[in-house]
């Protein structure tokens, strides 16, 4: 719980551009949209290089370069550090250059027994501009309700998306 309070404090210190679509005791939905000045294929490929843009403070073992996304149904969004391993989410749908969907709970959500569905869409605006549309829906039950976790998860995911946007703009 101390970790959640710390994360909530961190989140509240940022000017968030994410949108917490809905939240109640049994779940929440987050939607984030960002436009990047690269082609759809380039944005998608950079997304797959998750170890280059995911914030290391939000990994199990403290090194984002240990992260990988296997872009196939049944593939793993995983973290490997020697014998230590974490399956962050399971890939459930792949439409190359357009969308990847994943299921599971990120980070501390895994231990709560909640379930989430995540979608990363890459929408072509023109040859050199792409809109990234991110959605994460989490449902389940925990003592005290999930309502308090929505803003925390929203803030952490906004940090990740801003990392992706920054990395895409550098490429």
């Amino acid at each position: 719980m101390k970790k959640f309070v710390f994360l909530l404090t961190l989140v509240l210190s940022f000017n968030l551009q994410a949108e917490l679509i809905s939240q109640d005791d049994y779940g929440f939905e987050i939607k984030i949209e960002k436009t990047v000045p690269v082609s759809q294929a380039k944005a998608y490929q950079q997304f797959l290089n998750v170890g280059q843009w995911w914030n290391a403070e939000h990994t199990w073992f403290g090194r984002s370069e240990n992260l990988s996304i296997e872009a196939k149904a049944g593939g793993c969004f995983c973290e490997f550090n020697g014998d230590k391993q974490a399956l962050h989410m399971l890939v459930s749908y792949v439409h190359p250059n357009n969308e990847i969907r994943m299921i599971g709970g990120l980070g501390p959500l895994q231990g709560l027994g909640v379930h989430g569905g995540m979608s990363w869409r890459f929408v072509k605006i023109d040859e050199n501009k792409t809109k990234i549309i991110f959605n994460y829906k989490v449902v389940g039950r925990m003592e005290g309700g999930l309502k308090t976790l929505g803003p925390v998860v929203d803030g952490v995911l906004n940090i990740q998306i801003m990392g992706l946007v920054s990395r895409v703009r550098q490429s």
Side-chain angles (χ1 to χ4, degrees), residues 22 25 48 64 66 76 86 94 107 116 127 152:
S22 65
D25 287 341
L48 292 178
S64 43
N66 292 340
C76 186
V94 177
E127 293 303 317
V152 175

Side-chain angles (χ1 to χ4, degrees), residues 18-54:
E19 186 177 352
L20 193 55
I21 301 279
S22 65
Q23 61 181 341
D24 62 27
D25 287 341
Y26 299 101
F28 54 88
E29 180 180 356
I30 297 165
K31 183 175 184 179
I32 304 171
E33 295 185 9
K34 298 291 179 189
T35 300
V36 291
V38 298
S39 70
Q40 182 182 23
K42 192 166 190 173
Y44 177 82
Q45 288 304 312
Q46 186 59 64
F47 163 77
L48 292 178
N49 294 319
V50 64
Q52 295 177 356
W53 56 267
W54 195 270

Side-chain angles (χ1 to χ4, degrees), residues 30-34 36 40 43-50 53-55 69 77 88-103 106 117-123 130-137 153-154 156-165 168:
I30 297 165
K31 183 175 184 179
I32 304 171
E33 295 185 9
K34 298 291 179 189
V36 291
Q40 182 182 23
Y44 177 82
Q45 288 304 312
Q46 186 59 64
F47 163 77
L48 292 178
N49 294 319
V50 64
W53 56 267
W54 195 270
N55 185 297
I69 296 174
F77 172 18
H88 292 281
M89 299 193 86
L90 188 65
V91 176
S92 60
Y93 174 86
V94 177
H95 182 180
N97 298 325
N98 289 282
E99 184 176 13
I100 287 189
R101 295 182 199 152
M102 301 179 197
I103 52 176
L106 286 173
M118 180 180 286
S119 170
W120 296 83
R121 292 181 43 225
F122 301 85
V123 178
T130 302
K131 181 181 278 192
I132 300 170
I133 303 171
F134 169 85
N135 259 94
Y136 190 36
K137 298 174 187 176
V153 175
D154 179 51
V156 170
L157 290 171
N158 194 55
I159 291 168
Q160 306 317 322
I161 303 243
M162 291 311 296
L164 173 58
V165 168
V168 166

